[in-house]
Structures are given as C-alpha cells and as structure tokens.
C-alpha cells in the first residue's frame, strides 16, 4: 500500500485506497470483521457521514475501531440535518448546527477527535465564512484535526479555496466523469489541497453493468469505455484496478475512496494496491476514448 499526505496544510498520512463506509450493512459484527480486514490489508483511511443510516454508519465504525483508534484516520461529514420525524433531511451549514452535530458524531464514533471533518455539500448561498469559522473553532479546540468539503461544484470549490485553510475536497472522478479536469484538479493541485476521488467505477458501469446514459455519455460511449478497460486488463491488473488507477492518476488526487460492503469487494480493492500504475501512454489512450464531459451547472 502506498501512503501520501492529504494536502500540505495537513499532517494526515492516508492510504491511496480508502474505505467508503456508506455501503456497510447493519450487522455490526460483520462490519467490524470487514473493517479490521481492511486495516490489516493496509487501508488506514475510513470515510463515513452523519447522514448515512441516520448516524448508524458512524456508530458501527466507532464500535469496530474502539481500542484501536490510533491506528486509523477517520473522516466524517456534516451539513445534512435529519428532520425530527425522520421523513428526510434539510441542508444546514450554519455554525450553531455544526458545533452541535460534531458532538453527536464524536459520541457515535467513540472518539475525542475527528481526523477530517467535511462539509457534506455546499452552495453559493451558504454562509461560507460562518461555516469555515465553525471548522476553525473545532480545530482550535482539538475536536477535529483538519477539515474539507465534499462537493462537485466548481463555483463553490473556488470560494472555499479562496477563503479557507481546508485540507481536502472529495469529488466524483472517473473515466466516465472527467468534469473535475476542466478547472478543479489544476486549481486544487496549485493550492496543495488534496483530492479524495469517489465514484471510480461510475456506479459499476466501468465494470460490466449494463450500459446506460451517464453524465452526458450515451450507452454506446459507456460500453466503449468499459470495453477499453477490459482490453487493457491483465492477470495482474483487473478492470477495477485500471478504473481506480485512472482516478488516481492526476497529481492532485491522493486517494480513491471505494464503497466496500463485502469481503470480495475488499479483496478487489486491496488488489489495486499491488497493481502497477497506468503508464503515460495508457492514460493518454483512455483520455482520448471519449471527449471529456464538463459541468453544465455550478461553473
């Protein structure tokens, strides 16, 4: 497993393959076994959110790593507030809510601190400076080590780059979602802010799921991309490894966050770590398969 620092403003050394905990089931014991296997395999970065399963996801992660907190880097997210009746959630990036929500996340995760606390979205209508102030206050108090945002919106990302000392941005990036290439990846690299790439498999479309329209690509385009990965695959490098390696190729990207629910998925994720990186020629070949898609909104 390779490890890298998540942005120059942070001291977080994270694994290049991260565990996206959103896919975990409801069996705490089974989840703990899977999370422990991931740690034994070299994965050290685990990402959850207070939104997932109404907090149960944080809770199962906290139970799994009780007594071994020092071995893992825990990331969670805030900003989506569940309604009292459980009918859904509302966006709330206000400082007062964040300062309250973090206490619940700390309790569920059974920890005194969160390594990376992320705003789970964001719009230009947010009180951005107020939200940043909440994160800075939590950082000064030692309740979080670093903060970032989880967003695909270039206009929001630009404002956070200008106004904050964030360590990271989590965003979707894959062979079928190259929108970050237009402006975000270069901007974040320039400012030494680490990118956490999610969606490397494009909902499984790159791994053989029936092709469908996806982010402006036609089903035949999707099929073409999946076939190209299959053609490049070898015994030591599966289509899944190639898809993840494509997401990891830009210098700004520090880790691929993969949703993992089963031991088979974990095995495939760990196999990526021993697969060779894409060569410049292979990257060029894949990038020329299709014209890159671009953001239509939030530019």
């Amino acid at each position: 497993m390779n490890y890298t620092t998540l942005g120059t403003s942070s001291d977080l050394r994270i694994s290049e393959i991260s565990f996206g905990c959103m896919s975990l089931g409801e069996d705490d014991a089974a989840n703990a076994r899977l999370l422990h296997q991931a740690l034994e395999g070299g994965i050290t970065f685990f990402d959850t959110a207070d939104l997932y399963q109404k907090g149960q996801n944080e809770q199962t992660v906290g139970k799994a790593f009780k007594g071994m907190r020092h071995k893992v880097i825990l990331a969670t997210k805030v900003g989506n507030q569940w309604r009292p009746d459980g009918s859904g959630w509302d966006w709330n990036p206000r400082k007062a809510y964040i300062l309250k929500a973090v206490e619940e996340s700390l309790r569920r995760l059974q920890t005194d601190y969160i390594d990376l606390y992320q705003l789970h979205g964001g719009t230009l209508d947010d009180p951005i400076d107020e939200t940043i102030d909440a994160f800075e206050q939590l950082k000064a108090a030692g309740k979080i080590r670093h903060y970032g945002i989880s967003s695909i919106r270039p206009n929001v990302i630009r404002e956070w780059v200008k106004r904050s000392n964030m360590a990271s941005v989590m965003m979707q990036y894959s062979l079928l979602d190259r929108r970050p290439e237009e402006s975000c990846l270069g901007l974040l690299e320039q400012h030494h802010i680490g990118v956490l790439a999610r969606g490397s498999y494009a909902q499984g479309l790159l791994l053989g799921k029936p092709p469908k329209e996806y982010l402006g690509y036609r089903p035949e385009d999707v099929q073409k991309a999946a076939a190209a990965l299959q053609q490049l695959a070898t015994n030591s490098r599966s289509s899944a490894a190639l898809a993840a390696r494509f997401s990891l190729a830009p210098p700004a990207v520090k880790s691929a966050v993969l949703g993992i629910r089963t031991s088979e998925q974990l095995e495939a994720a760990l196999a990526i770590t021993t697969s060779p990186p894409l060569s410049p020629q292979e990257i060029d070949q894949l990038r020329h398969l299709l014209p890159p898609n671009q953001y239509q909104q939030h530019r």
Side-chain angles (χ1 to χ4, degrees):
M1 180 73 72
N2 293 321
Y3 301 87
T4 187
T5 301
L6 182 63
T8 56
S9 68
S10 92
D11 55 356
L12 300 179
R13 292 284 294 173
I14 66 170
S15 49
E16 68 174 350
I17 299 299
S18 302
F19 196 119
C21 299
M22 182 176 68
S23 301
L24 290 172
E26 297 181 359
D27 186 329
D28 288 338
N31 292 341
R33 287 193 295 271
L34 192 63
L35 291 166
H36 293 170
Q37 289 169 14
L39 182 60
E40 290 165 5
I43 294 176
T44 58
F45 185 82
F46 298 84
D47 177 77
T48 180
D50 61 4
L51 178 68
Y52 303 156
Q53 299 159 305
K54 298 182 179 179
Q56 291 300 310
N57 199 266
E58 286 183 327
Q59 192 166 310
T60 198
V61 172
K63 286 181 179 179
F65 291 128
K66 185 177 182 180
M68 56 178 71
R69 175 67 180 88
H70 62 287
K71 295 183 178 181
V72 297
I73 304 293
L74 293 183
T76 191
K77 309 181 195 77
V78 66
N80 295 293
Q81 183 176 16
W82 280 100
R83 297 175 194 138
D85 63 2
S87 63
W89 62 87
D90 300 302
W91 179 240
N92 190 349
R94 308 296 309 200
K95 179 178 179 179
Y97 173 67
I98 292 171
L99 296 181
K100 178 183 176 183
V102 73
E103 299 297 337
E104 293 301 307
S105 288
L106 289 167
R107 178 184 60 80
R108 287 189 291 261
L109 289 167
Q110 300 189 48
T111 183
D112 295 326
Y113 66 95
I114 294 163
D115 294 293
L116 181 67
Y117 204 34
Q118 303 158 99
L119 185 67
H120 203 171
T123 75
L124 287 182
D125 295 326
D126 293 347
I128 294 175
D129 291 329
E130 179 183 326
T131 307
I132 293 168
D133 187 56
F135 286 142
E136 290 288 353
Q137 183 174 321
L138 291 173
K139 190 174 177 182
K143 293 185 178 181
I144 67 174
R145 291 175 65 191
H146 300 282
Y147 64 89
I149 61 172
S150 177
S151 177
I152 62 171
R153 299 184 175 194
N155 54 11
V156 171
I157 291 169
R158 282 193 292 269
E159 288 303 311
W160 274 78
V161 168
K162 280 190 272 186
R163 303 192 204 183
S164 78
N165 294 309
M166 66 177 174
S168 64
V169 175
M170 180 178 287
M171 62 172 60
Q172 190 166 289
Y173 179 62
S174 73
L175 183 57
L176 288 175
D177 187 357
R178 293 172 56 199
R179 296 174 297 175
E181 292 178 2
E182 185 180 358
S183 63
C184 291
L185 291 180
L187 175 69
L188 295 171
E189 182 187 3
Q190 177 187 348
H191 289 271
H192 310 291
I193 296 166
V195 171
L196 300 166
R198 61 178 179 83
S200 297
Y201 301 151
Q203 299 178 357
L205 294 172
L206 290 170
L207 305 185
K209 279 195 174 180
K212 64 177 182 178
E213 189 173 334
Y214 185 78
L215 297 176
Y217 290 124
R218 301 166 300 173
E220 51 265 40
D221 297 326
V222 171
Q223 189 169 19
K224 182 178 181 180
L229 290 179
Q230 194 169 21
Q231 288 170 4
L232 284 174
T234 63
N235 289 336
S236 61
R237 222 171 36 167
S238 65
S239 292
L242 288 163
R245 285 293 181 194
F246 182 87
S247 296
L248 287 165
V253 177
K254 303 304 177 185
S255 186
V257 183
L258 305 179
I260 298 171
R261 186 184 181 92
T262 66
S263 56
E264 290 78 17
Q265 291 172 348
L266 175 59
E267 185 178 339
L270 291 175
I272 296 166
T273 67
T274 58
S275 67
L278 294 171
S279 69
Q281 293 77 19
E282 288 171 326
I283 294 171
D284 191 61
Q285 177 183 343
L286 292 172
R287 283 182 173 163
H288 281 86
L289 274 177
L290 302 168
N293 42 10
Q294 296 181 329
Y295 290 108
Q296 301 303 311
Q297 298 176 321
H298 316 297
R299 295 177 64 89

